[in-house]
Amino acid sequence: MTDDLELPSTWPTTEPSGGIRIAVFGTGYLGATHAVAMAELGFEVVGADTDPHKVDALAAGKVPFFEPGLDELLEKHLLTDRLRFTTDLAEAAGWADVHFVCVGTPQQKTSHAADLRFVEAATRAIASNLTKDALIVGKSTVPVGTAEQLRHLVAEVAPAGLHVELVWNPEFLREGKAVGDTLHPDRIVLGGTTAHSEALLREVYAGPIAEGTPVVTCDLPTAELVKVSANAFLATKISFINAISAVCEAAGADVTVLADALGHDVRIGRQFLDAGLGFGGGCLPKDIRALMHRSTELGAHRAASLLQQVDEINMGQRERVLDLAITACGGSVLNRRIGVLGAAFKPLTDDVRDSPALNVAAALHLRGAQVTVFDPEAGDTARRSFPTLSYATSIEECVEGTDLVLVLTEWDQFLMADAGRLARLTSAPRVIDARGKLDARAWRDAGWEFSGLGRAA
Ligand code: UDX
């Protein structure tokens, strides 16, 4: 995956459309982007969150995380007065017609299951504070069966006499491309809608639908499962190529060339066949674990064991990179100076949740290496999670005096770095390309001892 900065095209709307008032509950990666995108589509929007820091930042025009293109659109719609943010959930619930639930569903601390506290709290806050008929639209990623439970909750707490529907409309946005993915989604899934709620949501998504985005209507459990299955499939594809990369390594084949050749088959496709350090982030890892857990609960044991393998292969990639580093350092990393390029779980984000890059950096540190990390955007978030690592402010500073350099996140600026100049800064020019994206020949020609996953030594 490259980190070319494709700014998404926006909508030329100038007038508020439709008169539908939209509230978005939860203003993290998903909710903040959704709120801004709804304003861009022409609606009056309030973003509601219990975290005053997020709300204050957004209200001041500052996105509290790095997401290309979002700052500009936020500023634009704070100025059009179509968009505001509040910590007063009750006020937002009383004001809007359509209520999107965009709160997090993290992994529980004590199991693989999803923690549904935030989804339940948001739904309760919305339903109990409604002042008129309303549509509640779940967007958060939840285990199948959750929406049905939430319908019972809504029936219990919503004021009597109001017509309230709850439907599911999963979100498929990728971090780093969130604005484009939200404004121009590749599909819109509507689960559990009636004729009334389907018509309302078709009005909300009229812009993307007019562009040709397909709409899939289905029941609640199918809508919930579409999202987790999509993530499980992507994770499986990555673990497949990573498993094959070990075969390539043992057989002297090259997994990057192999992936290109596989990708020409339209039934397979080239995307998500980049072998390397594996997947991380706030979605794929916890979503496949939650699906594993739910599949077991439902008695679908084969699905659970497939996902267990996917998870194990993925986590094993971190060990493989660690082993490569130990081998490159002659059997031990103790007291070796190691430069780590990349901390984010992928390029174009400052998100370090379950980041394979930071995980490997921390493991090297634990084994006694002197680790210095550089990431173009994720330095601050990484420092908050792992304050004991050292952080550099440039590639050069990170690489200077090192015995080994690891490229753990494939930011363009690492791929385009001057390998010759960097080689001269090191104590010993050794590099491990854990994302399979460097030009191996150019780095070798520049004097680097080069190794990677799934490539002949
Ligand atoms: C993912 C889904 O793509 C998105 O549809 C869903 O809504 C949320 O989860 P995201 O977490 O933003 O999005 O990241 P994604 O681009 O899917 O990458 C996930 C991880 O897989 C990253 O760590 C990335 O580096 C890794 N990856 C991706 C690979 O290791 N190899 C690949 O070929 C592709």
Side-chain angles (χ1 to χ4, degrees):
M1 192 167 289
T2 59
D3 51 323
D4 43 317
L5 205 96
E6 284 164 33
L7 282 186
S9 62
T10 51
W11 293 89
T13 44
T14 47
E15 293 302 319
S17 74
I20 301 172
R21 288 171 162 187
I22 291 179
V24 177
F25 294 83
T27 57
Y29 290 91
L30 165 59
T33 310
H34 192 67
V36 170
M38 288 294 112
E40 178 67 7
L41 291 179
F43 299 100
E44 274 190 272
V45 183
V46 63
D49 203 296
T50 51
D51 180 348
H53 300 295
K54 276 188 196 156
V55 166
D56 289 348
L58 288 162
K62 179 95 198 70
V63 178
F65 49 87
F66 175 70
E67 184 60 51
L70 192 55
D71 276 291
E72 294 83 336
L73 270 194
L74 170 67
E75 250 174 72
K76 173 178 166 188
H77 290 296
L78 289 173
L79 289 175
T80 59
D81 261 350
R82 232 178 264 166
L83 179 60
R84 65 190 172 93
F85 293 91
T86 183
T87 51
D88 189 345
L89 305 195
E91 184 272 322
W95 174 83
D97 307 297
V98 178
H99 306 260
F100 285 101
V101 177
C102 294
V103 294
T105 50
Q107 188 181 327
Q108 283 184 10
K109 296 233 178 327
T110 50
S111 93
H112 278 164
D115 183 346
L116 297 174
R117 270 180 302 171
F118 305 112
V119 172
E120 282 162 10
T123 308
R124 182 183 291 277
I126 298 165
S128 57
N129 288 293
L130 292 174
T131 55
K132 53 185 167 176
D133 294 349
L135 175 60
I136 303 175
V137 186
K139 285 197 92 63
S140 306
T141 302
V142 291
V144 60
T146 304
E148 191 57 48
Q149 296 299 321
L150 294 175
R151 277 190 173 170
H152 293 300
L153 175 65
V154 170
E156 242 172 68
V157 301
L162 298 186
H163 176 78
V164 186
E165 278 190 53
L166 182 139
V167 300
W168 221 258
N169 165 223
E171 179 57 57
F172 302 96
L173 66 80
R174 295 162 293 178
E175 287 176 28
K177 304 202 166 150
V179 176
D181 284 352
T182 309
L183 289 173
H184 311 282
D186 47 20
R187 77 284 217 191
I188 294 168
V189 176
L190 305 178
T193 46
T194 59
H196 167 74
S197 51
E198 185 184 332
L200 193 51
L201 283 172
R202 281 182 179 273
E203 211 176 317
V204 168
Y205 291 120
I209 291 171
E211 275 188 343
T213 302
V215 177
V216 179
T217 53
C218 55
D219 52 35
L220 276 183
T222 306
E224 292 168 311
L225 268 178
V226 169
K227 173 58 195 278
V228 285
S229 308
N231 278 357
F233 184 78
L234 295 172
T236 304
K237 211 173 168 190
I238 297 168
S239 281
F240 169 81
I241 199 67
N242 282 332
I244 295 296
S245 78
V247 182
C248 287
E249 226 166 86
D254 188 319
V255 74
T256 53
V257 180
L258 178 125
D260 288 343
L262 288 182
H264 288 301
D265 184 332
V266 288
R267 295 169 302 172
I268 297 175
R270 179 62 181 82
Q271 290 190 50
F272 279 71
L273 281 185
D274 288 328
L277 192 45
F279 58 82
C283 295
L284 259 49
K286 63 119 178 139
D287 288 352
I288 62 160
R289 289 177 194 146
L291 181 56
M292 206 189 299
H293 185 88
R294 191 74 185 115
S295 304
T296 304
E297 279 180 350
L298 294 168
H301 297 292
R302 288 205 174 124
S305 62
L306 169 70
L307 295 169
Q308 174 76 29
Q309 279 297 313
V310 168
D311 198 7
E312 275 176 21
I313 293 167
N314 189 55
M315 297 309 283
Q317 293 302 98
R318 302 175 190 193
E319 299 288 338
R320 285 178 70 195
V321 172
L322 208 53
D323 288 347
L324 276 181
I326 292 166
T327 306
C329 289
S332 167
V333 295
L334 184 67
N335 288 327
R336 294 306 187 107
R337 293 187 62 176
I338 297 184
V340 166
L341 293 175
F345 82 98
K346 65 173 190 178
L348 281 182
T349 180
D350 61 359
D351 193 349
V352 297
R353 287 176 296 171
D354 201 355
S355 167
L358 259 192
N359 215 260
V360 168
L364 289 166
H365 175 73
L366 264 181
R367 282 166 177 72
Q370 298 170 35
V371 181
T372 305
V373 179
F374 171 66
D375 189 287
E377 293 292 340
D380 290 343
T381 46
R383 195 193 303 270
R384 282 199 288 276
S385 303
F386 286 97
T388 50
L389 299 173
S390 300
Y391 292 90
T393 54
S394 67
I395 302 181
E396 290 73 16
E397 188 191 340
C398 181
V399 162
E400 193 160 9
T402 53
D403 304 300
L404 174 66
V405 172
L406 289 96
V407 179
L408 302 184
T409 313
E410 67 278 32
W411 285 95
D412 266 354
Q413 61 172 276
F414 303 158
L415 311 189
M416 293 178 330
D418 179 340
R421 205 164 78 83
L422 293 184
R424 290 189 290 279
L425 295 174
T426 66
S427 295
R430 291 190 200 100
V431 66
I432 294 173
D433 174 16
R435 290 292 180 182
K437 292 285 187 183
L438 296 184
D439 180 343
R441 181 175 295 169
W443 281 67
R444 283 195 175 111
D445 287 351
W448 290 84
E449 197 181 296
F450 186 98
S451 50
L453 293 166
R455 295 163 130 183

